[in-house]
Structures are given as C-alpha cells and as structure tokens.
Amino acid sequence: MTDTNTLAPLGAELGRIARPGTNAPFDDVRFALLDELLAAKQGAPMAHAAWQQAFDHAARSLRMRVIEKAERGLREAGQISRYSARRLAALLPDAEAADALLHRLLAEGMPLERCEALPDNDAARRRRALALEAAWEGAVGIARGEAGRWRLRAAQVAEWRPSRRPFWIGAGVVLALTVLVAAWLGGQLRAPAWFTPVSRFWWGLPWP
C-alpha cells in the first residue's frame, strides 16, 4: 500500500486524492490508485494513458467491491430470515447489474478524458490531477449510493418473514370441516348417504 510520505513529487499535484488514510470506504482502492500513479511517475514521462488507466482500474475495483459486498450481504440476510434460495438468487446482482455499475463509474472519468491532448508538463499534470480528483469523488459517490441501495435490499431480506396466510386458510378449512362433521354426527344437519358408515362407526365406538 502507498505510503503518502513517498508521494512528495506527485502529492502536491494530486490534492485531496493523496490525503492520508481515514478508514473511509474504498480507501484501499484509492491507495491502489495512488500506487499506480506513483509507479507511472517514476517511469517519466507520465503520459495521459497512465492517468486514464489508473482511474479505469480504480473504477473496476470499486465495481468489484460493491458487487461482492452486495452479494455477501444478501446471502447473510437470507440465512437470517431463511429466505427462499430461488427468490434470493433473483435478487443477487447479476452480470448486467455489474456492467451497468461499471459504465456509470467509468463515465465519471469524462473530466480526465478531456485532458487527453495535453502534454506532460507541470500545468498539465495539475489539470489532470484536478480532473482525476473530480472523477474519483464522483465514482466514490456512485459506489456509496449503490452500496447503500444493496444494503437496503439486504435489510429487507433479513426482515422478511413467511406469510401466515396459507396457515390461516388451512386452519379455517379444517375448522369448517370439523364443525360440519360434528353437525352430521350430532344430527343437527342431515348427513349425506356416503357419510352413514362413518356415523355408524363413530357411534359404535365404546364411549364411556
């Protein structure tokens, strides 16, 4: 992981993106981004492609973090509530959701893409750094929002309880049949012909 003290040649240009770790979400991805930029800086000149590639890699890492945590959170929630495995599978993030998130994250790199034609000098590096900072913060905002959406879905799964409607319907049917049979046996209602053997058997039991 990057030691921010070693970023002196580049840190002044990178601004907030080179701040020390604060245990904020996705700090590990930010440090990986800094590592890649530092390696590119040591291999001067620092072409625009190095900046763009570093951000693209960071965006893919953000996508992976969000999707993996979403899937893990949903599976853990499903275990808590004993959610149907088939229904849970339909809620898990799929390839389409992952691709859509990646496109949204990469789209935040537009400010950096506008710097593609700039040369590698102090002014251009500072401009790229500002663009990268804006791109990173935009991507993190999207990642946080998406992670929050998946956390909400996991919480709903964890709170899910099976519907008791089938139980009450079944109980009602059993109660109705019990009352009906009791009425046939007691003579309150006229029993159908097919019930006669049942009635004879019932009253033929050695009741005390």
Side-chain angles (χ1 to χ4, degrees), residues 100-101 109 129 149:
L101 175 58
R149 187 175 71 85

Side-chain angles (χ1 to χ4, degrees), residues 11-192:
E13 298 170 349
L14 289 173
R16 290 194 300 272
I17 205 169
R19 67 187 182 278
T22 58
N23 293 323
F26 311 117
D27 255 1
D28 58 330
V29 179
R30 179 169 63 86
F31 279 122
L33 170 61
L34 292 173
D35 279 336
E36 190 164 350
L37 289 172
L38 181 59
K41 176 68 175 178
Q42 292 173 343
M46 193 173 177
H48 175 80
W51 294 80
Q52 191 67 56
Q53 180 174 283
F55 174 75
D56 290 351
H57 289 169
R60 294 179 185 279
S61 294
L62 286 175
R63 185 266 304 267
M64 181 179 68
R65 296 287 193 281
V66 171
I67 296 299
E68 286 183 348
K69 191 169 184 179
E71 182 170 344
R72 184 168 61 252
L74 282 167
R75 292 191 184 280
E76 291 174 354
Q79 291 177 352
I80 292 173
S81 64
R82 297 187 178 181
Y83 202 76
S84 162
R86 179 180 58 81
R87 295 176 63 188
L88 182 64
L91 296 178
L92 295 174
D94 55 13
E96 184 177 351
D99 287 344
L101 175 58
L102 179 60
H103 291 322
R104 291 173 61 200
L105 293 169
L106 291 174
E108 293 299 314
M110 288 297 295
L112 186 59
E113 291 179 8
R114 298 189 187 102
C115 300
E116 183 175 5
L118 297 179
D120 179 32
N121 54 40
D122 291 344
R125 280 196 299 274
R126 181 55 185 157
R127 185 170 171 182
R128 286 191 175 98
L130 289 172
L132 178 62
E133 182 179 301
W136 168 254
E137 291 182 352
V140 168
I142 288 175
R144 284 178 173 173
E146 191 71 4
R149 187 175 71 85
W150 286 110
R151 281 196 302 272
L152 177 59
R153 180 172 293 187
Q156 292 171 341
V157 170
E159 294 171 359
W160 175 85
R161 295 296 179 270
S163 173
R164 297 188 66 83
R165 183 178 180 184
F167 168 80
W168 291 116
I169 291 176
V173 170
V174 171
L175 179 60
L177 289 175
T178 301
V179 171
L180 180 61
V181 169
W184 286 345
L185 289 172
Q188 288 86 357
L189 290 176
R190 185 176 180 180

Side-chain angles (χ1 to χ4, degrees), residues 181 184-186 191-207:
V181 169
W184 286 345
L185 289 172
W194 61 264
F195 190 73
T196 300
V198 178
S199 180
R200 288 175 180 170
F201 172 78
W202 176 264
W203 291 115
L205 293 173
W207 297 107

